[in-house]
Amino acid sequence: MRAWNIGGLVLAACIAVSGCIPMGNHGATLYEDLGGREGVAMLVDEFLRRVADDDRIVEAFAGANVPRLRRLLEEQFCQVSDGPCEYTGGSMEETHRGMGISEKEFNALVEDLIDAMEALDVPVATQNRLLARLAPMHREIVSAARPSSPRSRTPGAPAGA
Amino acid sequence: MCLAVLLPALGAAPAGAGSRLLATGGAMPLEGAAGGGLVPWAVLSGYSTPGEAGPTVAYTHVETDDYQLDTYSVSLNLWNRVELSAARQVFDIGALTPALGSDPGNLGQDVLGIKVRLAGDLVYSRWPQLAAGAMYKHTREFAVPAAIGAIDSRDWDFYLAATKLFLGGAFGRNLLLNATLRATRANQLGLAGFGGDLNDDHELMAELSAAVLLDRKFAVGVEYRQKPDNLGFAAEDDWYDAFVAWFPGKHVAVVVAWAELGSIATLDDQNGPYLSIQASY
């Protein structure tokens, strides 16, 4: 009796989920689903615009070479989505070493990326596929031993105050 | 001095409610610990990350054929490492008046909880997020539970929970799976005391949840909670629910569910709606 009960609930949930998801309109690669070269360029553009406006993380990008960052992000998004590109930048671990990127900053970055994809009407399933491929970078970007207090690079926090 | 300490903290979190991604705080189920509707998960309430702390308050109402359960709960997430929680449950058993010959009033229970995230991250790590928790439970109205054979009015539950979000794991939607193993001797959560004539030891119970995030703001899911059956007076059934959760923003979450709670204190087929609203800061 009970087994049927939970089976019914699971079935209902599956139907509820699959019923409102368009299936079978994928391109050959995630890259194509993202709109190819042009789509990825628009996404990186929208993403960087949001990062620049984000008080939580803009500081971490202060002094960054934005045209270079844009090019590397386009390469990276293209490569992880199986597009015809090669990422020419350093590894995530190398490029973020010593920056003290916190969990909070990493999440802010992810939120900006999701917001950018939402703004460009990227389908949820495509969003999730891209996020799934970027998620493993978390452990290479977020510092293992993080101070829980504001770091020394935080402006306006005079030492000894 | 104080300002110098406070200002960076305020500037760091202008919107409040912490920095974790939307919906990763789960909901606040019946016993105050963050999770699904009936099952505590390895996630900690609210959206705090290391360096942040934030409270969550919730009200939950379950209405079955014959009973009503109200739960008021509050929790505090410290650095996304420790969750402290407190819940007060009020269980209206007026429906038992004919059987008992007089109005028994309400049953009630207080639950104090602590949960520690041991390892992992719900979203980012390869392995599930793991947490261990304990609940200290106190049956407030023990006369009726004692009369039907409950042994104690206070006891501990201990649990281990593993929760993982699979990005794009269900038809491209994000899939959350949770498994919780709990040691308990509670009768009906503890509302009917602890231990009984059939069993008076802690037993291991399996609790499972599966949820799909349809988009950023909506999740649907199902849960199963195995329960002890300690009292000869009244059989106790495992619980099930199917839920829809809505996360309009990090400050508010609403869960609507259908709960199948089986037989409770001799009255069978206690099924009905479940509503929970919560606020996080």
Side-chain angles (χ1 to χ4, degrees), chain B residues 97-118:
Chain B
T97 303
L100 296 170
S102 64
D103 185 351
N106 294 329
L107 292 183
Q109 176 181 221
D110 292 330
V111 182
L112 295 176
I114 181 168
K115 175 164 42 174
V116 177
R117 182 173 64 85
L118 300 176

Side-chain angles (χ1 to χ4, degrees), chain B residues 87-241:
Chain B
R88 166 156 289 196
Q89 299 168 341
V90 179
F91 190 49
D92 183 338
I93 55 168
L96 293 177
T97 303
L100 296 170
S102 64
D103 185 351
N106 294 329
L107 292 183
Q109 176 181 221
D110 292 330
V111 182
L112 295 176
I114 181 168
K115 175 164 42 174
V116 177
R117 182 173 64 85
L118 300 176
D121 182 280
L122 174 72
V123 182
Y124 300 123
S125 61
R126 186 179 310 196
W127 298 100
Q129 180 163 326
L130 286 177
M135 294 176 181
Y136 178 70
K137 298 179 162 183
H138 175 208
T139 309
R140 283 201 316 280
E141 313 295 340
F142 192 59
V144 172
I148 62 175
I151 309 288
D152 285 317
S153 64
R154 293 157 199 263
D155 201 21
W156 290 86
D157 278 7
F158 301 97
Y159 62 92
L160 271 174
T163 314
K164 169 91 181 122
L165 185 76
F166 297 89
L167 290 163
F171 308 108
R173 263 53 183 176
N174 295 338
L175 171 70
L176 182 146
L177 296 179
N178 174 79
T180 300
L181 193 62
R182 181 196 303 253
T184 182
R185 64 195 265 268
N187 308 320
Q188 301 294 3
L189 306 183
L191 289 163
F194 303 86
D197 50 323
L198 299 185
N199 172 64
D200 192 30
D201 295 318
H202 278 79
E203 293 178 300
L204 285 179
M205 296 290 148
E207 305 178 5
L208 306 168
S209 316
V212 172
L213 283 79
L214 299 177
D215 59 17
R216 293 178 88 174
K217 297 186 171 172
F218 281 95
V220 296
V222 291
E223 293 198 296
Y224 164 73
R225 176 166 174 166
Q226 189 182 22
K227 293 177 48 258
D229 191 10
N230 298 334
L231 296 171
F233 167 80
E236 181 169 342
D237 287 326
D238 298 348
W239 285 4
Y240 304 83
D241 78 310

Side-chain angles (χ1 to χ4, degrees), chain A residues 46-130:
Chain A
E46 185 70 32
F47 176 43
L48 285 177
R49 220 193 324 271
R50 285 164 192 278
V51 169
D53 286 341
D54 191 335
D55 293 339
R56 299 170 296 181
I57 43 174
V58 68
E59 171 209 322
F61 287 91
N65 177 344
V66 174
R68 180 169 179 273
L69 185 61
R70 181 190 312 268
R71 179 174 57 78
L72 289 176
L73 278 171
E74 285 176 9
E75 285 177 7
Q76 188 180 42
F77 283 15
C78 173
Q79 182 176 313
V80 301
S81 64
D82 300 327
C85 318
E86 195 182 337
Y87 172 66
T88 58
S91 77
M92 289 295 98
E93 207 163 356
E94 279 164 29
T95 51
H96 295 87
R97 186 176 297 146
M99 287 180 71
I101 302 288
S102 68
E103 199 73 47
K104 171 162 54 183
E105 289 165 325
F106 187 87
N107 281 326
L109 211 62
V110 174
E111 280 179 0
D112 288 340
L113 178 59
I114 295 172
D115 286 343
M117 291 191 287
E118 288 277 312
L120 295 173
D121 291 324
V122 176
V124 173
T126 307
Q127 292 185 25
N128 291 337
R129 285 162 72 204
L130 180 60

Side-chain angles (χ1 to χ4, degrees), chain B residues 238-256:
Chain B
D238 298 348
W239 285 4
Y240 304 83
D241 78 310
F243 66 84
V244 177
W246 177 44
F247 301 88
K250 286 187 181 176
H251 290 292
V252 178
V254 179
V255 178
V256 179

Side-chain angles (χ1 to χ4, degrees), chain B residues 246-269:
Chain B
W246 177 44
F247 301 88
K250 286 187 181 176
H251 290 292
V252 178
V254 179
V255 178
V256 179
W258 180 261
E260 303 231 336
L261 307 186
S263 182
I264 297 178
T266 71
L267 301 182
D268 290 342
D269 296 323

